[in-house]
């Protein structure tokens, strides 16, 4: 069994990678930066690749190379955790940077979908489990989050369509993990209320201790990923699982 984790160098992604590695599952980590602490703890089980998933040319070059195929070769089960994501641009359309919208769609949608296809193509004969880290924002619309809501909804529809393909060796789930105390949450709380009217809700969640830790969430998420039932619900919420 081997895993691929995007955005593995910080936040929830780092916690997921650490949880997998701690269970003896080697991880190919894809991120813009490095995770020296993880590399020091798991020098033989972590392979790190510096890759900016917002750069279509870099992503295409990586997919055309042999790193991913070499990583999954010979594995009886391949796990792909599409964790990397961005919340920006935030605000009504008139205040959104179009270039930021392009980057968000590349990171939040194009990269997960391309990596899912590449991982399946490279691992013929193995069981493939694909987990998209989605959000409640993909299931409900929020003011100021039109791009974020749309990109997370895209992951939900992708997982549902993959299930309809009927390949029993490919299981895919778009999973909302709940509200987690990460850098993204700090970004949300720092956003002017004029751009994100629901900001106060997240400020209060932090103040009242309502945010889950990345480590606790990662433990539950990996349990879910490895459970026999994984993929039976293409769209799910970790809090209700």
């Amino acid at each position: 069994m081997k895993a691929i984790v995007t955005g593995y160098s910080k936040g929830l992604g780092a916690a997921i990678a650490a949880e997998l590695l701690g269970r003896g599952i080697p991880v190919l980590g894809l991120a813009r930066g490095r995770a020296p602490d993880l590399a020091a703890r798991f020098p033989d089980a972590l392979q790190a690749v510096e890759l900016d998933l917002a750069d279509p040319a870099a992503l295409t070059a990586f997919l055309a190379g042999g790193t991913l195929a070499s990583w999954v070769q010979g594995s009886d089960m391949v796990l792909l955790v599409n964790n990397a994501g961005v919340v920006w641009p935030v605000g009504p359309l008139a205040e959104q940077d179009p270039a930021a919208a392009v980057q968000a769609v590349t990171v939040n949608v194009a990269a997960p979908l391309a990596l899912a296809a590449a991982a399946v193509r490279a691992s013929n004969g193995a069981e493939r489990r694909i987990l998209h880290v989605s959000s409640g924002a993909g299931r409900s619309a929020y003011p100021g989050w039109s791009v974020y809501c749309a990109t997370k909804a895209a992951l939900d529809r992708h997982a549902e369509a993959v299930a309809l393909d009927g390949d029993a060796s490919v299981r895919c789930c778009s999973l909302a993990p709940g509200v987690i105390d990460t850098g993204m949450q700090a970004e949300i709380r720092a956003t002017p209320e004029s751009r994100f009217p629901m900001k106060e809700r997240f400020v209060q969640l932090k103040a009242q201790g309502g945010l889950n830790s990345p480590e606790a969430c990662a433990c539950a998420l990996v349990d879910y990923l490895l459970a026999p039932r994984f993929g039976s619900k293409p769209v799910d919420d970790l809090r209700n699982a």
Side-chain angles (χ1 to χ4, degrees):
M1 184 185 302
K2 285 189 173 179
I4 304 152
V5 180
T6 67
Y8 85 100
S9 63
K10 60 184 180 180
L12 179 60
I16 293 169
E19 185 68 29
L20 289 164
L21 290 162
R23 299 190 192 201
I25 302 171
V27 169
L28 173 65
L30 309 178
R32 287 179 298 173
R34 295 275 181 170
D37 291 345
L38 274 180
R41 289 170 58 196
F42 304 99
D44 300 322
L46 174 65
Q47 180 175 333
V49 175
E50 289 190 45
L51 176 62
D52 185 356
L53 294 172
D55 183 343
L59 175 59
T60 300
F62 170 78
L63 294 173
T67 301
L68 192 150
S70 176
W71 178 255
V72 301
Q73 187 174 17
S75 180
D76 62 343
M77 182 182 290
V78 173
L79 312 173
L80 170 62
V81 181
N82 282 313
N83 161 78
V86 295
V87 71
W88 293 99
V90 175
L93 281 177
E95 298 181 26
Q96 289 179 13
D97 177 0
V102 171
Q103 287 189 325
V105 173
T106 304
V107 174
N108 292 1
V109 183
L113 271 54
L115 284 165
V120 168
R121 288 169 64 92
S123 56
N124 188 37
E127 178 180 342
R128 284 68 63 93
R129 297 190 175 196
I130 301 160
L131 190 153
H132 299 318
V133 176
S134 186
S135 168
R139 295 146 208 187
S140 300
Y142 295 117
W145 271 8
S146 57
V147 173
Y148 187 63
C149 290
T151 56
K152 290 303 183 181
L155 296 181
D156 291 356
R157 299 294 82 73
H158 179 260
E160 289 175 332
V162 168
L164 293 175
D165 287 340
D167 186 342
S169 72
V170 178
R171 306 188 194 185
C172 187
C173 177
S174 188
L175 183 69
V179 188
I180 310 160
D181 198 2
T182 63
M184 182 180 286
Q185 279 296 313
E187 288 182 35
I188 292 168
R189 294 193 300 274
T191 304
E193 197 163 356
S194 60
R195 297 179 71 91
F196 183 52
M198 296 182 66
K199 167 185 173 175
E200 186 59 26
R201 173 194 170 194
F202 294 92
V203 171
Q204 291 302 316
L205 278 172
K206 175 67 172 178
Q208 296 167 8
L211 301 181
N212 200 7
S213 74
E215 293 76 18
C217 180
C219 181
L221 184 148
V222 172
D223 282 344
Y224 185 97
L225 175 61
L226 298 178
R229 69 181 185 279
F230 180 81
S232 60
K233 293 181 67 176
V235 176
D236 206 354
D237 191 309
L238 189 58
R239 291 164 292 189
N240 303 326

